[in-house]
Structure formats: C-alpha cells, structure tokens
Amino acid sequence: MTSHKKMPIGGRAIEPGKSEEVETGDWRSFRPVVDQELCIDCMSCWIYCPDSAVIVKDNKMTGFKMTHCKGCGICAKACPKKAITMVEE
Ligand code: SF4
Ligand code: SF4
C-alpha cells in the first residue's frame, strides 16, 4: 500500500474561478451582430446568454461585450425577432 506521504503533491484551486476574470471571448470563431431595427428590447438574449455578454443600458439592448462573448449563438436562437445574426470572425 502506498503511503500518503509518498504521493506527489497535486494542484490546488485556492480561489473560485469567475468568468468576470477570464476573457471567454478569446476562443470565439463566430460573433453575434444585432440589427437594431428589428430589436424590440425584450431581453431574451440577455436572459439566456451564459456569459453575461449582452450589454443593456437604460432598458435597451445595446450590443455585446466581445471580451466575454464566446460566440455560442444562444442569443441568436433565443431572439424572437431574429434580430441577431452569427457571423464568422
Ligand atoms: S453568442 Fe453566446 S456568449 Fe455571445 S452574446 Fe450570444 S449567447 Fe452570449
Ligand atoms: S432577444 Fe432579440 S429582440 Fe430581444 S433584446 Fe435581444 S436582440 Fe432584441
């Protein structure tokens, strides 16, 4: 039986990770583009975005935080007005 004293020291997570500190937009290959003419500010994209990358100001959807948008396309799927198009980077 191996003594626990002979086991190599493993890695430790000393703090919880937060997407605020990790730029999840680094690996994006598609980006969302919104057509503001079609947008009705329903906030569906804001609710469903897993990275809180939809920018809302004064109850208006104004765009995307590209440092955190990973290009998953969920916002485009969630939009009832088809106002969001995913385009290749
Ligand atoms: S593509 Fe994904 S990560 Fe980017 S804004 Fe839309 S839902 Fe959020
Ligand atoms: S889901 Fe579509 S219509 Fe609703 S706020 Fe987002 S872009 Fe605008």
Side-chain angles (χ1 to χ4, degrees):
M1 189 190 316
T2 307
S3 162
H4 72 280
K5 291 182 180 173
K6 291 183 182 172
M7 293 176 75
I9 298 171
R12 290 188 303 159
I14 55 175
E15 289 182 13
K18 286 195 277 186
S19 63
E20 283 175 352
E21 294 159 4
V22 179
E23 295 197 344
T24 48
D26 279 358
W27 59 79
R28 185 181 59 244
S29 54
F30 285 84
R31 69 166 56 216
V33 175
V34 64
D35 182 342
Q36 295 288 1
E37 297 289 315
L38 296 174
C39 177
I40 56 170
D41 297 308
C42 69
M43 300 305 150
S44 186
C45 54
W46 177 78
I47 290 167
Y48 282 101
C49 175
D51 284 288
S52 300
V54 176
I55 302 168
V56 175
K57 284 187 185 146
D58 299 327
N59 296 320
K60 298 266 182 207
M61 184 280 191
T62 61
F64 305 96
K65 196 190 305 179
M66 287 305 170
T67 50
H68 285 85
C69 169
K70 62 188 172 200
C72 66
I74 290 173
C75 54
K77 290 275 185 194
C79 178
K81 301 300 285 183
K82 307 239 181 290
I84 300 172
T85 307
M86 299 302 294
V87 299
E88 202 165 349
E89 288 281 16

